[in-house]
């Protein structure tokens, strides 16, 4: 009886823990930058398809990015596509294609793809979305394009603050700030660091994991009590 309870408890724990941690998103780091800053962004792309690897990542850029430089990553070819704006142009999207043999990203792995960009001067107070399409070797396609952070596939994004502010990567904001939120125009204070929203990304996963561990502890405690009472 006790052995059966242990097996059920461990099975439930494994299933719930998997659902808690399998929430990785395509994300951008750092995710909070001042307008006009020239910064390096790491596009973090997880592999979440069993028996398949990532073959292509296409990221759509919001308006205002006039130039993008990329860092070579072993096994990946990069292509930038521009949109015409009269006599000028700006970056429309960046595409990474796996060419092998290095750089293969399978299940439970991830790749970081660095980009050097100039944040638009007029973007202060905005959350900019970078809608992304991710393709796997088995033909499966994930569309990271939902504007809601509570969605299953939220679009990666960055939070643009006032010019002269600090570049930060706010914990718990893996998918970025809420699109369209009022992010304000003041420079962040060193004495009052931003607090992650508990409803987003990693915070939600940690809360679920804590609940699972607590429930497992109670269950195993009951098992130990039952064994102690057994003649």
């Amino acid at each position: 009886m006790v052995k059966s309870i242990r097996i059920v408890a461990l099975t439930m724990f494994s299933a719930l823990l998997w659902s808690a941690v399998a929430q990785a998103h395509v994300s951008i780091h750092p995710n909070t930058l001042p307008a006009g800053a020239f910064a390096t962004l790491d596009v973090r792309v997880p592999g979440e398809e069993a028996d398949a690897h990532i073959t292509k990542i296409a990221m759509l850029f919001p308006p205002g990015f006039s130039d993008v430089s990329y860092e070579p990553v072993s096994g990946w070819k990069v292509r930038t596509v521009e949109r015409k704006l009269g006599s000028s142009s700006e970056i429309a999207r960046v595409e990474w294609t796996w060419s092998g043999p290095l750089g293969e990203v399978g299940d439970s792995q991830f790749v970081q793809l660095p980009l050097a960009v100039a944040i638009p001067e007029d973007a202060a107070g905005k959350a900019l979305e970078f809608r992304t399409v991710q393709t796997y070797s088995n033909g499966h396609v994930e569309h990271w394009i939902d504007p809601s952070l509570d969605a299953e596939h939220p679009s990666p994004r960055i939070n643009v603050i006032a010019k002269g502010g600090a570049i930060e990567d706010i914990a718990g904001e893996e998918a970025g700030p809420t699109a369209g939120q009022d992010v304000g125009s003041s420079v962040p204070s060193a004495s009052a660091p931003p607090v992650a929203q508990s409803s987003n990304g990693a915070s939600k996963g940690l809360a679920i994991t804590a609940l699972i561990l607590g429930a497992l502890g109670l269950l195993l405690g009951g098992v130990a009590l039952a064994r102690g009472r057994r003649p």
Side-chain angles (χ1 to χ4, degrees):
M1 176 65 178
V2 174
K3 185 176 181 180
S4 298
I5 294 175
R6 281 182 174 175
I7 293 173
V8 171
L10 291 174
T11 301
M12 290 175 60
F13 173 72
S14 299
L16 291 173
L17 183 60
W18 171 249
S19 66
V21 299
Q23 296 181 17
H25 308 308
V26 174
S27 54
I28 299 175
H29 305 271
N31 55 26
T32 302
L33 303 102
F38 188 78
T40 299
L41 305 179
D42 285 325
V43 179
R44 187 176 300 164
V45 185
E48 299 181 294
E49 191 74 8
D51 302 320
H53 61 270
I54 303 171
T55 57
K56 187 174 181 179
I57 301 139
M59 174 170 279
L60 181 66
F61 271 58
F65 287 83
S66 58
D67 189 30
V68 171
S69 299
Y70 59 87
E71 180 179 323
V73 176
S74 297
W76 292 87
K77 292 181 178 179
V78 186
R79 183 171 81 101
T80 59
V81 179
E82 297 182 342
R83 63 169 69 93
K84 294 295 182 180
L85 298 173
S87 58
S88 62
S89 61
E90 64 179 21
I91 298 299
R93 71 178 184 274
V94 177
E95 298 176 352
W96 293 267
T97 303
W98 183 74
S99 57
L102 301 176
E104 181 176 312
V105 182
D107 190 22
S108 300
Q109 299 176 331
F110 71 90
V111 63
Q112 291 206 143
L113 306 167
L115 294 173
V117 303
I119 306 300
E121 294 273 359
D122 60 354
K126 298 179 182 179
L128 302 181
E129 291 186 72
F130 294 75
R131 299 186 175 189
T132 303
V133 176
Q134 177 183 12
T135 305
Y136 288 90
S137 57
N138 61 2
H140 181 73
V141 179
E142 293 282 9
H143 295 83
W144 301 92
I145 61 174
D146 201 302
S148 172
L149 287 179
D150 294 324
E152 185 177 0
H153 298 95
S155 57
R157 62 202 72 185
I158 61 172
N159 181 20
V160 183
I161 59 175
K163 190 172 183 178
I167 296 178
E168 298 181 286
D169 199 31
I170 302 178
E173 297 280 5
E174 185 178 78
T178 302
Q181 72 179 17
D182 182 10
V183 298
S185 57
S186 60
V187 177
S189 171
S191 60
V195 179
Q197 298 177 15
S198 61
S199 60
N200 292 333
S203 297
K204 184 182 293 183
L206 289 174
I208 294 173
T209 303
L211 288 173
I212 293 170
L213 291 173
L216 182 62
L218 289 173
L219 185 57
L220 293 179
V223 171
L225 182 62
R227 292 188 63 185
R229 291 177 177 177
R230 192 172 61 183

